[in-house]
Amino acid sequence: NPPPAGSQRFIYAFWHESFLAPAKIRTGVKVLISQSADGELIAQVCQRLGLGTIRGSSKRGGVEALLQLLDEGAHTHLAITPDGPCGPRRQLKSGVVLLASSTGLPIVPVGIGFTRAWRFRSWDRFAVPYPLSTVMGVLGEPVVV
């Protein structure tokens, strides 16, 4: 469900390693996901959870994804991992800043923590919370570019 007409929309930015946790939030949002094989799996999970997806990254399909993000940003929230799709881990890339300046949408930083989680041996140390693990989310103040 998109946000009500006339309400404030945002770009939610969270680190790639915690991608699964925000996917549980039920809100009208379009999530940028790479066109890789891993991205396909994540896109299918997001779609089953009722989240919209936009496919593309700096490596493949970036121009088309940016155009779709600009279009979708006119009427829904957007979500992006500013250190993806290949890292370095927890280092902001310029794409989210470009998107915010082009759409006029504020960036809301999202921090996610887990009491216990499996960590993949990937560049981002991707986290999958253990069953019954506590997951904590923190929203920062919106940043206008």
Side-chain angles (χ1 to χ4, degrees):
N1 298 335
S7 66
Q8 179 70 49
R9 294 171 322 281
F10 299 99
I11 300 170
Y12 294 99
F14 50 93
W15 298 132
H16 197 272
E17 69 192 69
S18 60
F19 196 95
L20 283 180
K24 201 63 174 130
I25 298 168
R26 306 293 178 151
T27 185
V29 65
K30 294 284 180 136
V31 182
L32 178 64
I33 300 172
S34 74
Q35 292 181 350
S36 67
D38 290 346
E40 179 60 29
L41 177 64
I42 293 169
Q44 289 178 15
V45 169
C46 287
Q47 288 170 343
R48 285 200 171 94
L49 292 172
L51 301 173
T53 60
I54 296 172
R55 302 295 303 275
S57 68
S58 57
K59 302 258 185 231
R60 194 177 341 159
V63 172
E64 296 84 358
L66 179 59
L67 292 173
Q68 193 174 355
L69 286 163
L70 293 172
D71 182 53
E72 295 289 347
H75 56 274
T76 194
H77 300 293
L78 303 173
I80 188 169
T81 57
D83 61 343
C86 299
R89 181 180 187 226
R90 296 184 181 173
Q91 290 189 22
L92 183 75
K93 292 183 182 172
S94 59
V96 69
V97 177
L98 171 66
L99 183 60
S101 68
S102 299
T103 61
L105 299 177
I107 302 167
V108 175
V110 179
I112 307 292
F114 314 96
T115 53
R116 294 183 52 206
W118 287 286
R119 293 282 181 168
F120 285 44
R121 288 188 176 139
S122 56
W123 68 267
D124 62 351
R125 305 278 297 132
F126 193 81
V128 177
Y130 285 139
L132 305 177
S133 175
T134 300
V135 179
M136 177 68 70
V138 179
L139 300 177
E141 289 292 322
V143 177
V144 177
V145 176

